[in-house]
Amino acid sequence: MGAIGSFVAGAALAQGTAPRTVRLGYQKSSTLIAVLRLQGSLEQRLAPLGVKLSWHEFTSGLPLLEALNLDNIDLSADVADTVPVFAQAAGAQLTFVAQEAPSPTAQAILVRADSPLKSVADLKGKRVGFSKAAGVHYLLLAALEKAGLSFADIDPAYLTPADGRAAFERGSLDAWVVWDPFLSAAQKQAGARVLADGTGLASYQRYYLASTRFAQARPDVLGVLYAELEKAGRWVKGNPREAAALLAPFWGLDAAIIEQANARRSYAVRAVTPQNLSEQQKIADAFFAEKLLPRRLNALDVALYQPGA
């Protein structure tokens, strides 16, 4: 087991001036953060602490955690389980704040409706698009391994979700690996067909993180964020139509697409423990074996926030 540290809600602030402006990075697919932003509840809860919030959007998880590592943001909204592994390899000092329970069907390998490809084994020699270091990157590795292939057997194309969708629709890709809500949008708008999803391959757990520097300085902010995420997760699952209607103009998608996407995500926010980080080591080992990480990692060599302790 790794050198796991912990930060406890309500702990004394680190010496020096605690940050008063919190820089929060997120992706378009950061559902619960989008809900909190649209409802204004997170800012309302932080105001009594004398904290202002600034919002910073990123195209995918890897640049988001690169910004966290470079101290350009303080908090990261949810990123897929694969992303922190790459951040650790880059030397990032991460504190895991919260985890969303598995949502394996919320990411998938897609082909066009008229594609001759019928199985993952058919991807040999084909051009496959996906976002580097995203959860879909690991899903692809796991699916290829199960089909008796390696990463070297495909022609990879590292693309943002927007660029991937465009390349997929114009036929520049044989397959596209993507997550919700982009997955549901491609199915409903472009008639994309699922070749394989994460069932039995990749749990697809999403993590909320902080730089360890910020976690030590503002555990009170982490406590507020954790509580609001829990609340938002329950609201989205308990009010699917209302949530879809709220997010539709923000995402620029039909509410029906969003409702389908949200049905696949657990949005069950929970504390991060060594036990539910177990798949992280498997992910790290898979990327190292494919020479996609520069060194072998101990995936548990991170700090874990303990809400309410």
Side-chain angles (χ1 to χ4, degrees):
M1 190 167 293
I4 295 177
S6 64
F7 298 104
V8 182
L13 300 184
Q15 289 185 349
T17 304
R20 293 293 178 181
T21 298
V22 175
R23 302 162 297 170
L24 174 57
Y26 68 98
Q27 305 174 62
K28 241 351 182 194
S29 56
S30 299
T31 309
L32 300 187
I33 289 295
V35 167
L36 294 179
R37 183 174 186 180
L38 293 167
Q39 293 179 336
S41 54
L42 184 56
E43 287 159 310
Q44 291 170 11
R45 285 286 310 277
L46 289 175
L49 302 179
V51 169
K52 293 184 178 180
L53 200 57
S54 63
W55 304 86
H56 305 267
E57 185 178 330
F58 293 81
T59 57
S60 60
L62 185 59
L64 178 51
L65 287 201
E66 286 174 345
L68 192 71
N69 188 27
L70 293 171
D71 196 32
N72 291 328
I73 59 171
D74 305 301
L75 293 171
S76 165
D78 54 314
V79 295
D81 38 20
T82 300
V83 187
V85 168
F86 279 79
Q88 281 181 258
Q93 298 299 305
L94 303 175
T95 293
F96 284 69
V97 179
Q99 177 195 67
E100 287 182 18
S103 304
T105 62
Q107 55 178 359
I109 303 171
L110 296 177
V111 294
R112 291 180 300 280
D114 60 354
S115 172
L117 305 183
K118 301 299 181 185
S119 70
V120 174
D122 295 332
L123 293 177
K124 186 172 184 178
K126 304 301 183 184
R127 187 162 179 79
V128 183
F130 55 94
S131 293
K132 184 178 182 180
V136 293
H137 197 163
Y138 176 65
L139 168 60
L140 179 60
L141 289 185
L144 290 172
E145 181 182 23
K146 184 177 180 181
L149 301 177
S150 74
F151 192 67
D153 288 318
I154 64 164
D155 178 15
Y158 296 128
L159 299 167
T160 66
D163 291 340
R165 171 73 181 263
F168 181 71
E169 290 193 351
R170 68 172 176 262
S172 300
L173 301 175
D174 297 294
W176 181 36
V177 200
V178 74
W179 62 95
D180 271 318
F182 312 108
L183 167 59
S184 291
Q187 287 180 286
K188 286 188 173 289
Q189 294 172 340
R193 174 166 54 87
V194 172
L195 201 63
D197 63 25
T199 304
L201 293 170
S203 295
Y204 190 47
Q205 300 174 105
R206 296 184 68 89
Y207 292 95
Y208 299 81
L209 300 110
S211 69
T212 295
R213 174 202 57 78
F214 181 82
Q216 290 173 327
R218 296 303 312 235
D220 54 341
V221 171
L222 301 192
V224 168
L225 175 64
Y226 186 92
E228 289 300 307
L229 288 171
E230 270 193 319
K231 187 188 302 181
R234 291 193 298 269
W235 182 79
V236 170
K237 296 306 283 187
N239 302 274
R241 288 189 178 179
E242 293 91 333
L246 177 70
L247 291 164
F250 184 70
W251 281 351
L253 292 173
D254 291 340
I257 292 173
I258 297 171
E259 196 167 345
Q260 174 177 296
N262 287 347
R264 291 171 172 156
R265 290 273 294 275
S266 74
Y267 296 126
V269 175
R270 62 189 187 182
V272 184
T273 67
Q275 291 71 34
N276 59 33
L277 269 179
S278 59
E279 192 172 22
Q280 293 299 100
Q281 190 63 54
K282 186 178 178 182
I283 291 170
D285 291 344
F287 279 99
F288 180 74
E290 291 287 355
K291 298 180 172 57
L292 297 171
L293 283 181
R295 59 189 175 90
R296 187 180 297 277
L297 292 180
N298 182 342
L300 298 184
D301 191 11
V302 294
L304 309 181
Y305 170 70
Q306 298 177 359

